[in-house]
PDB file of all heavy atoms in Angstrom:
ATOM      1  N   GLU O 152      -1.623  -1.780   7.467  1.00 96.00           N
ATOM      2  CA  GLU O 152      -0.955  -0.485   7.324  1.00 96.00           C
ATOM      3  C   GLU O 152       0.541  -0.737   7.469  1.00 96.00           C
ATOM      4  O   GLU O 152       1.034  -0.958   8.572  1.00 96.00           O
ATOM      5  CB  GLU O 152      -1.436   0.528   8.353  1.00 96.00           C
ATOM      6  CG  GLU O 152      -0.929   1.942   8.072  1.00 96.00           C
ATOM      7  CD  GLU O 152      -1.582   2.979   8.968  1.00 96.00           C
ATOM      8  OE1 GLU O 152      -1.713   2.702  10.198  1.00 96.00           O
ATOM      9  OE2 GLU O 152      -1.994   4.040   8.472  1.00 96.00           O
ATOM     10  N   ARG O 153       1.235  -0.736   6.327  1.00 96.00           N
ATOM     11  CA  ARG O 153       2.632  -1.131   6.331  1.00 96.00           C
ATOM     12  C   ARG O 153       3.470  -0.156   5.497  1.00 96.00           C
ATOM     13  O   ARG O 153       3.033   0.323   4.443  1.00 96.00           O
ATOM     14  CB  ARG O 153       2.798  -2.539   5.746  1.00 96.00           C
ATOM     15  CG  ARG O 153       2.084  -3.625   6.539  1.00 96.00           C
ATOM     16  CD  ARG O 153       2.846  -3.986   7.795  1.00 96.00           C
ATOM     17  NE  ARG O 153       4.091  -4.648   7.460  1.00 96.00           N
ATOM     18  CZ  ARG O 153       4.210  -5.958   7.261  1.00 96.00           C
ATOM     19  NH1 ARG O 153       3.138  -6.742   7.323  1.00 96.00           N
ATOM     20  NH2 ARG O 153       5.383  -6.496   6.989  1.00 96.00           N
ATOM     21  N   ALA O 154       4.690   0.095   5.982  1.00 95.00           N
ATOM     22  CA  ALA O 154       5.634   0.900   5.208  1.00 95.00           C
ATOM     23  C   ALA O 154       6.202   0.047   4.078  1.00 95.00           C
ATOM     24  O   ALA O 154       6.488  -1.142   4.258  1.00 95.00           O
ATOM     25  CB  ALA O 154       6.750   1.407   6.111  1.00 95.00           C
ATOM     26  N   LEU O 155       6.352   0.658   2.912  1.00 96.00           N
ATOM     27  CA  LEU O 155       6.936  -0.010   1.751  1.00 96.00           C
ATOM     28  C   LEU O 155       8.354   0.497   1.534  1.00 96.00           C
ATOM     29  O   LEU O 155       8.661   1.643   1.877  1.00 96.00           O
ATOM     30  CB  LEU O 155       6.100   0.265   0.496  1.00 96.00           C
ATOM     31  CG  LEU O 155       4.632  -0.147   0.538  1.00 96.00           C
ATOM     32  CD1 LEU O 155       3.937   0.289  -0.756  1.00 96.00           C
ATOM     33  CD2 LEU O 155       4.493  -1.643   0.759  1.00 96.00           C
ATOM     34  N   PRO O 156       9.210  -0.311   0.949  1.00 94.00           N
ATOM     35  CA  PRO O 156      10.552   0.176   0.613  1.00 94.00           C
ATOM     36  C   PRO O 156      10.471   1.327  -0.391  1.00 94.00           C
ATOM     37  O   PRO O 156       9.602   1.334  -1.268  1.00 94.00           O
ATOM     38  CB  PRO O 156      11.238  -1.051  -0.012  1.00 94.00           C
ATOM     39  CG  PRO O 156      10.417  -2.221   0.414  1.00 94.00           C
ATOM     40  CD  PRO O 156       9.023  -1.734   0.583  1.00 94.00           C
ATOM     41  N   LEU O 157      11.361   2.285  -0.234  1.00 93.00           N
ATOM     42  CA  LEU O 157      11.410   3.373  -1.209  1.00 93.00           C
ATOM     43  C   LEU O 157      11.861   2.816  -2.557  1.00 93.00           C
ATOM     44  O   LEU O 157      12.877   2.115  -2.626  1.00 93.00           O
ATOM     45  CB  LEU O 157      12.378   4.468  -0.752  1.00 93.00           C
ATOM     46  CG  LEU O 157      11.924   5.372   0.399  1.00 93.00           C
ATOM     47  CD1 LEU O 157      13.024   6.380   0.735  1.00 93.00           C
ATOM     48  CD2 LEU O 157      10.632   6.090   0.057  1.00 93.00           C
ATOM     49  N   PRO O 158      11.129   3.084  -3.624  1.00 92.00           N
ATOM     50  CA  PRO O 158      11.546   2.569  -4.944  1.00 92.00           C
ATOM     51  C   PRO O 158      12.896   3.132  -5.356  1.00 92.00           C
ATOM     52  O   PRO O 158      13.200   4.308  -5.113  1.00 92.00           O
ATOM     53  CB  PRO O 158      10.434   3.051  -5.879  1.00 92.00           C
ATOM     54  CG  PRO O 158       9.267   3.322  -4.984  1.00 92.00           C
ATOM     55  CD  PRO O 158       9.852   3.794  -3.688  1.00 92.00           C
ATOM     56  N   ALA O 159      13.679   2.304  -5.990  1.00 89.00           N
ATOM     57  CA  ALA O 159      14.984   2.746  -6.478  1.00 89.00           C
ATOM     58  C   ALA O 159      14.859   3.510  -7.786  1.00 89.00           C
ATOM     59  O   ALA O 159      15.794   4.204  -8.191  1.00 89.00           O
ATOM     60  CB  ALA O 159      15.908   1.545  -6.669  1.00 89.00           C
ATOM     61  N   ALA O 160      13.713   3.370  -8.457  1.00 93.00           N
ATOM     62  CA  ALA O 160      13.520   4.038  -9.744  1.00 93.00           C
ATOM     63  C   ALA O 160      12.053   4.382  -9.886  1.00 93.00           C
ATOM     64  O   ALA O 160      11.180   3.782  -9.242  1.00 93.00           O
ATOM     65  CB  ALA O 160      13.979   3.145 -10.897  1.00 93.00           C
ATOM     66  N   ALA O 161      11.785   5.354 -10.727  1.00 94.00           N
ATOM     67  CA  ALA O 161      10.407   5.704 -11.037  1.00 94.00           C
ATOM     68  C   ALA O 161       9.773   4.601 -11.876  1.00 94.00           C
ATOM     69  O   ALA O 161      10.454   3.750 -12.440  1.00 94.00           O
ATOM     70  CB  ALA O 161      10.373   7.032 -11.783  1.00 94.00           C
ATOM     71  N   GLY O 162       8.446   4.627 -11.963  1.00 94.00           N
ATOM     72  CA  GLY O 162       7.748   3.670 -12.810  1.00 94.00           C
ATOM     73  C   GLY O 162       6.672   2.920 -12.050  1.00 94.00           C
ATOM     74  O   GLY O 162       6.225   3.335 -10.980  1.00 94.00           O
ATOM     75  N   ILE O 163       6.253   1.799 -12.622  1.00 96.00           N
ATOM     76  CA  ILE O 163       5.183   0.995 -12.039  1.00 96.00           C
ATOM     77  C   ILE O 163       5.753   0.108 -10.932  1.00 96.00           C
ATOM     78  O   ILE O 163       6.758  -0.561 -11.119  1.00 96.00           O
ATOM     79  CB  ILE O 163       4.504   0.151 -13.129  1.00 96.00           C
ATOM     80  CG1 ILE O 163       3.771   1.070 -14.112  1.00 96.00           C
ATOM     81  CG2 ILE O 163       3.530  -0.856 -12.516  1.00 96.00           C
ATOM     82  CD1 ILE O 163       3.100   0.346 -15.259  1.00 96.00           C
ATOM     83  N   GLN O 164       5.068   0.119  -9.799  1.00 97.00           N
ATOM     84  CA  GLN O 164       5.489  -0.643  -8.623  1.00 97.00           C
ATOM     85  C   GLN O 164       4.397  -1.656  -8.279  1.00 97.00           C
ATOM     86  O   GLN O 164       3.227  -1.450  -8.577  1.00 97.00           O
ATOM     87  CB  GLN O 164       5.726   0.290  -7.426  1.00 97.00           C
ATOM     88  CG  GLN O 164       6.403   1.616  -7.768  1.00 97.00           C
ATOM     89  CD  GLN O 164       7.844   1.467  -8.205  1.00 97.00           C
ATOM     90  OE1 GLN O 164       8.523   0.535  -7.786  1.00 97.00           O
ATOM     91  NE2 GLN O 164       8.328   2.395  -9.037  1.00 97.00           N
ATOM     92  N   ARG O 165       4.796  -2.720  -7.595  1.00 97.00           N
ATOM     93  CA  ARG O 165       3.862  -3.799  -7.266  1.00 97.00           C
ATOM     94  C   ARG O 165       3.756  -3.983  -5.753  1.00 97.00           C
ATOM     95  O   ARG O 165       4.756  -3.907  -5.025  1.00 97.00           O
ATOM     96  CB  ARG O 165       4.325  -5.110  -7.904  1.00 97.00           C
ATOM     97  CG  ARG O 165       3.380  -6.292  -7.672  1.00 97.00           C
ATOM     98  CD  ARG O 165       4.076  -7.623  -7.955  1.00 97.00           C
ATOM     99  NE  ARG O 165       4.415  -7.820  -9.346  1.00 97.00           N
ATOM    100  CZ  ARG O 165       3.764  -8.639 -10.182  1.00 97.00           C
ATOM    101  NH1 ARG O 165       2.722  -9.331  -9.744  1.00 97.00           N
ATOM    102  NH2 ARG O 165       4.164  -8.785 -11.419  1.00 97.00           N
ATOM    103  N   ILE O 166       2.549  -4.263  -5.295  1.00 97.00           N
ATOM    104  CA  ILE O 166       2.289  -4.674  -3.913  1.00 97.00           C
ATOM    105  C   ILE O 166       1.636  -6.049  -3.965  1.00 97.00           C
ATOM    106  O   ILE O 166       0.569  -6.209  -4.572  1.00 97.00           O
ATOM    107  CB  ILE O 166       1.355  -3.690  -3.177  1.00 97.00           C
ATOM    108  CG1 ILE O 166       1.955  -2.290  -3.135  1.00 97.00           C
ATOM    109  CG2 ILE O 166       1.048  -4.194  -1.763  1.00 97.00           C
ATOM    110  CD1 ILE O 166       0.976  -1.224  -2.676  1.00 97.00           C
ATOM    111  N   ARG O 167       2.266  -7.041  -3.370  1.00 97.00           N
ATOM    112  CA  ARG O 167       1.699  -8.391  -3.324  1.00 97.00           C
ATOM    113  C   ARG O 167       0.972  -8.568  -1.989  1.00 97.00           C
ATOM    114  O   ARG O 167       1.599  -8.615  -0.936  1.00 97.00           O
ATOM    115  CB  ARG O 167       2.793  -9.443  -3.483  1.00 97.00           C
ATOM    116  CG  ARG O 167       3.425  -9.474  -4.874  1.00 97.00           C
ATOM    117  CD  ARG O 167       4.525 -10.535  -4.935  1.00 97.00           C
ATOM    118  NE  ARG O 167       5.002 -10.754  -6.295  1.00 97.00           N
ATOM    119  CZ  ARG O 167       5.958 -10.035  -6.871  1.00 97.00           C
ATOM    120  NH1 ARG O 167       6.547  -9.043  -6.198  1.00 97.00           N
ATOM    121  NH2 ARG O 167       6.323 -10.289  -8.121  1.00 97.00           N
ATOM    122  N   LEU O 168      -0.340  -8.694  -2.056  1.00 97.00           N
ATOM    123  CA  LEU O 168      -1.095  -8.861  -0.813  1.00 97.00           C
ATOM    124  C   LEU O 168      -0.706 -10.137  -0.086  1.00 97.00           C
ATOM    125  O   LEU O 168      -0.801 -10.206   1.147  1.00 97.00           O
ATOM    126  CB  LEU O 168      -2.598  -8.861  -1.109  1.00 97.00           C
ATOM    127  CG  LEU O 168      -3.204  -7.536  -1.590  1.00 97.00           C
ATOM    128  CD1 LEU O 168      -4.725  -7.651  -1.664  1.00 97.00           C
ATOM    129  CD2 LEU O 168      -2.805  -6.374  -0.671  1.00 97.00           C
ATOM    130  N   ALA O 169      -0.249 -11.140  -0.818  1.00 97.00           N
ATOM    131  CA  ALA O 169       0.184 -12.381  -0.169  1.00 97.00           C
ATOM    132  C   ALA O 169       1.362 -12.139   0.761  1.00 97.00           C
ATOM    133  O   ALA O 169       1.535 -12.861   1.755  1.00 97.00           O
ATOM    134  CB  ALA O 169       0.554 -13.420  -1.230  1.00 97.00           C
ATOM    135  N   ASP O 170       2.190 -11.127   0.457  1.00 96.00           N
ATOM    136  CA  ASP O 170       3.322 -10.820   1.330  1.00 96.00           C
ATOM    137  C   ASP O 170       2.878 -10.375   2.713  1.00 96.00           C
ATOM    138  O   ASP O 170       3.643 -10.456   3.679  1.00 96.00           O
ATOM    139  CB  ASP O 170       4.200  -9.733   0.703  1.00 96.00           C
ATOM    140  CG  ASP O 170       4.942 -10.218  -0.531  1.00 96.00           C
ATOM    141  OD1 ASP O 170       4.984 -11.451  -0.744  1.00 96.00           O
ATOM    142  OD2 ASP O 170       5.479  -9.377  -1.273  1.00 96.00           O
ATOM    143  N   PHE O 171       1.641  -9.865   2.805  1.00 95.00           N
ATOM    144  CA  PHE O 171       1.112  -9.403   4.097  1.00 95.00           C
ATOM    145  C   PHE O 171       0.125 -10.397   4.692  1.00 95.00           C
ATOM    146  O   PHE O 171      -0.543 -10.081   5.678  1.00 95.00           O
ATOM    147  CB  PHE O 171       0.428  -8.035   3.924  1.00 95.00           C
ATOM    148  CG  PHE O 171       1.313  -6.991   3.311  1.00 95.00           C
ATOM    149  CD1 PHE O 171       1.018  -6.424   2.092  1.00 95.00           C
ATOM    150  CD2 PHE O 171       2.467  -6.572   3.961  1.00 95.00           C
ATOM    151  CE1 PHE O 171       1.838  -5.461   1.526  1.00 95.00           C
ATOM    152  CE2 PHE O 171       3.295  -5.611   3.407  1.00 95.00           C
ATOM    153  CZ  PHE O 171       2.979  -5.058   2.187  1.00 95.00           C
ATOM    154  N   GLY O 172       0.037 -11.584   4.095  1.00 95.00           N
ATOM    155  CA  GLY O 172      -0.882 -12.600   4.599  1.00 95.00           C
ATOM    156  C   GLY O 172      -2.346 -12.251   4.411  1.00 95.00           C
ATOM    157  O   GLY O 172      -3.206 -12.744   5.146  1.00 95.00           O
ATOM    158  N   VAL O 173      -2.654 -11.420   3.411  1.00 95.00           N
ATOM    159  CA  VAL O 173      -4.027 -10.965   3.195  1.00 95.00           C
ATOM    160  C   VAL O 173      -4.792 -11.983   2.366  1.00 95.00           C
ATOM    161  O   VAL O 173      -4.316 -12.446   1.324  1.00 95.00           O
ATOM    162  CB  VAL O 173      -4.036  -9.592   2.481  1.00 95.00           C
ATOM    163  CG1 VAL O 173      -5.452  -9.215   2.062  1.00 95.00           C
ATOM    164  CG2 VAL O 173      -3.445  -8.527   3.386  1.00 95.00           C
ATOM    165  N   MET O 174      -5.994 -12.328   2.836  1.00 96.00           N
ATOM    166  CA  MET O 174      -6.943 -13.146   2.086  1.00 96.00           C
ATOM    167  C   MET O 174      -8.263 -12.384   2.066  1.00 96.00           C
ATOM    168  O   MET O 174      -8.915 -12.219   3.104  1.00 96.00           O
ATOM    169  CB  MET O 174      -7.127 -14.518   2.744  1.00 96.00           C
ATOM    170  CG  MET O 174      -5.880 -15.386   2.747  1.00 96.00           C
ATOM    171  SD  MET O 174      -5.501 -16.065   1.119  1.00 96.00           S
ATOM    172  CE  MET O 174      -6.827 -17.267   0.951  1.00 96.00           C
ATOM    173  N   LEU O 175      -8.650 -11.895   0.901  1.00 97.00           N
ATOM    174  CA  LEU O 175      -9.881 -11.130   0.778  1.00 97.00           C
ATOM    175  C   LEU O 175     -11.097 -12.036   0.956  1.00 97.00           C
ATOM    176  O   LEU O 175     -11.064 -13.220   0.619  1.00 97.00           O
ATOM    177  CB  LEU O 175      -9.947 -10.445  -0.586  1.00 97.00           C
ATOM    178  CG  LEU O 175      -8.785  -9.516  -0.951  1.00 97.00           C
ATOM    179  CD1 LEU O 175      -8.986  -8.990  -2.367  1.00 97.00           C
ATOM    180  CD2 LEU O 175      -8.649  -8.376   0.037  1.00 97.00           C
ATOM    181  N   SER O 176     -12.172 -11.461   1.451  1.00 96.00           N
ATOM    182  CA  SER O 176     -13.442 -12.186   1.554  1.00 96.00           C
ATOM    183  C   SER O 176     -14.280 -11.907   0.308  1.00 96.00           C
ATOM    184  O   SER O 176     -14.281 -10.785  -0.206  1.00 96.00           O
ATOM    185  CB  SER O 176     -14.215 -11.735   2.800  1.00 96.00           C
ATOM    186  OG  SER O 176     -13.482 -12.044   3.975  1.00 96.00           O
ATOM    187  N   PRO O 177     -15.003 -12.906  -0.180  1.00 96.00           N
ATOM    188  CA  PRO O 177     -15.774 -12.707  -1.416  1.00 96.00           C
ATOM    189  C   PRO O 177     -16.870 -11.655  -1.248  1.00 96.00           C
ATOM    190  O   PRO O 177     -17.497 -11.535  -0.186  1.00 96.00           O
ATOM    191  CB  PRO O 177     -16.372 -14.086  -1.700  1.00 96.00           C
ATOM    192  CG  PRO O 177     -15.546 -15.041  -0.898  1.00 96.00           C
ATOM    193  CD  PRO O 177     -15.085 -14.291   0.299  1.00 96.00           C
ATOM    194  N   ASP O 178     -17.094 -10.898  -2.324  1.00 95.00           N
ATOM    195  CA  ASP O 178     -18.194  -9.948  -2.440  1.00 95.00           C
ATOM    196  C   ASP O 178     -18.181  -8.898  -1.325  1.00 95.00           C
ATOM    197  O   ASP O 178     -19.240  -8.459  -0.849  1.00 95.00           O
ATOM    198  CB  ASP O 178     -19.533 -10.692  -2.466  1.00 95.00           C
ATOM    199  CG  ASP O 178     -19.623 -11.637  -3.655  1.00 95.00           C
ATOM    200  OD1 ASP O 178     -19.208 -11.237  -4.765  1.00 95.00           O
ATOM    201  OD2 ASP O 178     -20.094 -12.779  -3.478  1.00 95.00           O
ATOM    202  N   VAL O 179     -16.985  -8.513  -0.919  1.00 96.00           N
ATOM    203  CA  VAL O 179     -16.785  -7.430   0.054  1.00 96.00           C
ATOM    204  C   VAL O 179     -15.938  -6.359  -0.615  1.00 96.00           C
ATOM    205  O   VAL O 179     -14.936  -6.671  -1.267  1.00 96.00           O
ATOM    206  CB  VAL O 179     -16.094  -7.947   1.332  1.00 96.00           C
ATOM    207  CG1 VAL O 179     -15.760  -6.782   2.275  1.00 96.00           C
ATOM    208  CG2 VAL O 179     -16.966  -8.973   2.043  1.00 96.00           C
ATOM    209  N   ASP O 180     -16.327  -5.108  -0.463  1.00 97.00           N
ATOM    210  CA  ASP O 180     -15.565  -4.017  -1.057  1.00 97.00           C
ATOM    211  C   ASP O 180     -14.469  -3.551  -0.104  1.00 97.00           C
ATOM    212  O   ASP O 180     -14.713  -3.354   1.096  1.00 97.00           O
ATOM    213  CB  ASP O 180     -16.481  -2.834  -1.385  1.00 97.00           C
ATOM    214  CG  ASP O 180     -17.396  -3.132  -2.569  1.00 97.00           C
ATOM    215  OD1 ASP O 180     -17.193  -4.157  -3.223  1.00 97.00           O
ATOM    216  OD2 ASP O 180     -18.314  -2.325  -2.824  1.00 97.00           O
ATOM    217  N   TYR O 181     -13.269  -3.381  -0.666  1.00 97.00           N
ATOM    218  CA  TYR O 181     -12.113  -2.917   0.092  1.00 97.00           C
ATOM    219  C   TYR O 181     -11.597  -1.623  -0.526  1.00 97.00           C
ATOM    220  O   TYR O 181     -11.720  -1.390  -1.735  1.00 97.00           O
ATOM    221  CB  TYR O 181     -10.987  -3.959   0.051  1.00 97.00           C
ATOM    222  CG  TYR O 181     -11.306  -5.257   0.740  1.00 97.00           C
ATOM    223  CD1 TYR O 181     -11.998  -6.271   0.070  1.00 97.00           C
ATOM    224  CD2 TYR O 181     -10.918  -5.498   2.063  1.00 97.00           C
ATOM    225  CE1 TYR O 181     -12.285  -7.473   0.687  1.00 97.00           C
ATOM    226  CE2 TYR O 181     -11.201  -6.693   2.689  1.00 97.00           C
ATOM    227  CZ  TYR O 181     -11.890  -7.682   1.995  1.00 97.00           C
ATOM    228  OH  TYR O 181     -12.178  -8.881   2.618  1.00 97.00           O
ATOM    229  N   ALA O 182     -10.993  -0.798   0.311  1.00 97.00           N
ATOM    230  CA  ALA O 182     -10.308   0.410  -0.144  1.00 97.00           C
ATOM    231  C   ALA O 182      -8.816   0.241   0.133  1.00 97.00           C
ATOM    232  O   ALA O 182      -8.434  -0.261   1.196  1.00 97.00           O
ATOM    233  CB  ALA O 182     -10.853   1.644   0.577  1.00 97.00           C
ATOM    234  N   TRP O 183      -7.986   0.645  -0.827  1.00 97.00           N
ATOM    235  CA  TRP O 183      -6.542   0.586  -0.601  1.00 97.00           C
ATOM    236  C   TRP O 183      -5.927   1.900  -1.041  1.00 97.00           C
ATOM    237  O   TRP O 183      -6.476   2.623  -1.878  1.00 97.00           O
ATOM    238  CB  TRP O 183      -5.920  -0.594  -1.330  1.00 97.00           C
ATOM    239  CG  TRP O 183      -5.961  -0.550  -2.836  1.00 97.00           C
ATOM    240  CD1 TRP O 183      -7.005  -0.900  -3.636  1.00 97.00           C
ATOM    241  CD2 TRP O 183      -4.896  -0.146  -3.702  1.00 97.00           C
ATOM    242  NE1 TRP O 183      -6.665  -0.744  -4.966  1.00 97.00           N
ATOM    243  CE2 TRP O 183      -5.381  -0.290  -5.038  1.00 97.00           C
ATOM    244  CE3 TRP O 183      -3.593   0.300  -3.507  1.00 97.00           C
ATOM    245  CZ2 TRP O 183      -4.599   0.013  -6.148  1.00 97.00           C
ATOM    246  CZ3 TRP O 183      -2.810   0.599  -4.615  1.00 97.00           C
ATOM    247  CH2 TRP O 183      -3.310   0.456  -5.915  1.00 97.00           C
ATOM    248  N   SER O 184      -4.808   2.220  -0.451  1.00 96.00           N
ATOM    249  CA  SER O 184      -4.159   3.477  -0.782  1.00 96.00           C
ATOM    250  C   SER O 184      -2.648   3.343  -0.638  1.00 96.00           C
ATOM    251  O   SER O 184      -2.140   2.480   0.076  1.00 96.00           O
ATOM    252  CB  SER O 184      -4.661   4.615   0.122  1.00 96.00           C
ATOM    253  OG  SER O 184      -4.243   4.409   1.467  1.00 96.00           O
ATOM    254  N   VAL O 185      -1.959   4.217  -1.353  1.00 96.00           N
ATOM    255  CA  VAL O 185      -0.520   4.382  -1.217  1.00 96.00           C
ATOM    256  C   VAL O 185      -0.277   5.848  -0.886  1.00 96.00           C
ATOM    257  O   VAL O 185      -0.798   6.737  -1.574  1.00 96.00           O
ATOM    258  CB  VAL O 185       0.222   3.990  -2.505  1.00 96.00           C
ATOM    259  CG1 VAL O 185       1.720   4.170  -2.332  1.00 96.00           C
ATOM    260  CG2 VAL O 185      -0.086   2.550  -2.878  1.00 96.00           C
ATOM    261  N   SER O 186       0.479   6.085   0.173  1.00 94.00           N
ATOM    262  CA  SER O 186       0.746   7.446   0.627  1.00 94.00           C
ATOM    263  C   SER O 186       2.237   7.719   0.603  1.00 94.00           C
ATOM    264  O   SER O 186       3.037   6.864   1.008  1.00 94.00           O
ATOM    265  CB  SER O 186       0.211   7.663   2.055  1.00 94.00           C
ATOM    266  OG  SER O 186      -1.174   7.364   2.129  1.00 94.00           O
ATOM    267  N   LEU O 187       2.602   8.893   0.157  1.00 93.00           N
ATOM    268  CA  LEU O 187       3.986   9.362   0.196  1.00 93.00           C
ATOM    269  C   LEU O 187       4.068  10.441   1.262  1.00 93.00           C
ATOM    270  O   LEU O 187       3.478  11.513   1.122  1.00 93.00           O
ATOM    271  CB  LEU O 187       4.401   9.900  -1.173  1.00 93.00           C
ATOM    272  CG  LEU O 187       5.830  10.442  -1.314  1.00 93.00           C
ATOM    273  CD1 LEU O 187       6.865   9.391  -0.927  1.00 93.00           C
ATOM    274  CD2 LEU O 187       6.073  10.911  -2.738  1.00 93.00           C
ATOM    275  N   LEU O 188       4.747  10.125   2.340  1.00 90.00           N
ATOM    276  CA  LEU O 188       4.817  11.014   3.502  1.00 90.00           C
ATOM    277  C   LEU O 188       6.139  11.750   3.484  1.00 90.00           C
ATOM    278  O   LEU O 188       7.215  11.132   3.490  1.00 90.00           O
ATOM    279  CB  LEU O 188       4.664  10.208   4.796  1.00 90.00           C
ATOM    280  CG  LEU O 188       3.513   9.182   4.828  1.00 90.00           C
ATOM    281  CD1 LEU O 188       3.473   8.460   6.171  1.00 90.00           C
ATOM    282  CD2 LEU O 188       2.186   9.850   4.525  1.00 90.00           C
ATOM    283  N   ALA O 189       6.055  13.053   3.460  1.00 80.00           N
ATOM    284  CA  ALA O 189       7.259  13.872   3.320  1.00 80.00           C
ATOM    285  C   ALA O 189       7.963  14.118   4.644  1.00 80.00           C
ATOM    286  O   ALA O 189       9.146  14.443   4.667  1.00 80.00           O
ATOM    287  CB  ALA O 189       6.914  15.207   2.669  1.00 80.00           C
ATOM    288  N   GLY O 190       7.266  14.004   5.741  1.00 71.00           N
ATOM    289  CA  GLY O 190       7.870  14.301   7.046  1.00 71.00           C
ATOM    290  C   GLY O 190       6.792  14.458   8.095  1.00 71.00           C
ATOM    291  O   GLY O 190       5.718  13.841   7.999  1.00 71.00           O
ATOM    292  N   ASP O 191       7.060  15.289   9.076  1.00 67.00           N
ATOM    293  CA  ASP O 191       6.108  15.481  10.163  1.00 67.00           C
ATOM    294  C   ASP O 191       4.884  16.268   9.728  1.00 67.00           C
ATOM    295  O   ASP O 191       3.827  16.180  10.359  1.00 67.00           O
ATOM    296  CB  ASP O 191       6.793  16.191  11.339  1.00 67.00           C
ATOM    297  CG  ASP O 191       7.898  15.335  11.957  1.00 67.00           C
ATOM    298  OD1 ASP O 191       7.791  14.093  11.841  1.00 67.00           O
ATOM    299  OD2 ASP O 191       8.848  15.906  12.523  1.00 67.00           O
ATOM    300  N   ASP O 192       5.021  17.047   8.678  1.00 64.00           N
ATOM    301  CA  ASP O 192       3.901  17.865   8.214  1.00 64.00           C
ATOM    302  C   ASP O 192       2.965  17.011   7.378  1.00 64.00           C
ATOM    303  O   ASP O 192       3.197  16.793   6.192  1.00 64.00           O
ATOM    304  CB  ASP O 192       4.436  19.050   7.395  1.00 64.00           C
ATOM    305  CG  ASP O 192       3.312  19.968   6.930  1.00 64.00           C
ATOM    306  OD1 ASP O 192       2.164  19.788   7.397  1.00 64.00           O
ATOM    307  OD2 ASP O 192       3.587  20.849   6.092  1.00 64.00           O
ATOM    308  N   ARG O 193       1.895  16.515   7.952  1.00 66.00           N
ATOM    309  CA  ARG O 193       0.982  15.633   7.240  1.00 66.00           C
ATOM    310  C   ARG O 193       0.208  16.354   6.145  1.00 66.00           C
ATOM    311  O   ARG O 193      -0.363  15.730   5.263  1.00 66.00           O
ATOM    312  CB  ARG O 193       0.001  14.989   8.226  1.00 66.00           C
ATOM    313  CG  ARG O 193       0.669  14.119   9.299  1.00 66.00           C
ATOM    314  CD  ARG O 193       1.582  13.067   8.706  1.00 66.00           C
ATOM    315  NE  ARG O 193       0.905  12.164   7.813  1.00 66.00           N
ATOM    316  CZ  ARG O 193       0.336  11.018   8.203  1.00 66.00           C
ATOM    317  NH1 ARG O 193       0.370  10.645   9.468  1.00 66.00           N
ATOM    318  NH2 ARG O 193      -0.257  10.236   7.329  1.00 66.00           N
ATOM    319  N   ALA O 194       0.188  17.680   6.183  1.00 68.00           N
ATOM    320  CA  ALA O 194      -0.481  18.430   5.121  1.00 68.00           C
ATOM    321  C   ALA O 194       0.247  18.284   3.794  1.00 68.00           C
ATOM    322  O   ALA O 194      -0.316  18.588   2.737  1.00 68.00           O
ATOM    323  CB  ALA O 194      -0.590  19.899   5.506  1.00 68.00           C
ATOM    324  N   ALA O 195       1.502  17.847   3.851  1.00 73.00           N
ATOM    325  CA  ALA O 195       2.283  17.683   2.621  1.00 73.00           C
ATOM    326  C   ALA O 195       2.195  16.269   2.054  1.00 73.00           C
ATOM    327  O   ALA O 195       2.809  15.985   1.025  1.00 73.00           O
ATOM    328  CB  ALA O 195       3.746  18.036   2.905  1.00 73.00           C
ATOM    329  N   ASP O 196       1.435  15.394   2.701  1.00 84.00           N
ATOM    330  CA  ASP O 196       1.332  14.015   2.226  1.00 84.00           C
ATOM    331  C   ASP O 196       0.698  13.960   0.839  1.00 84.00           C
ATOM    332  O   ASP O 196      -0.175  14.763   0.491  1.00 84.00           O
ATOM    333  CB  ASP O 196       0.473  13.182   3.177  1.00 84.00           C
ATOM    334  CG  ASP O 196       1.121  12.990   4.532  1.00 84.00           C
ATOM    335  OD1 ASP O 196       2.285  13.381   4.686  1.00 84.00           O
ATOM    336  OD2 ASP O 196       0.445  12.448   5.429  1.00 84.00           O
TER     337      ASP O 196
END
């Protein structure tokens, strides 16, 4: 669970799992998400 830099421009963005030292295990299902948090009000996420 890591904060990403705010993009300088709209468009397609990349997340490199190697940057976080992630090594997936074979034949295991993972869930990933990207969240845009507007502030303290989590209902606006």
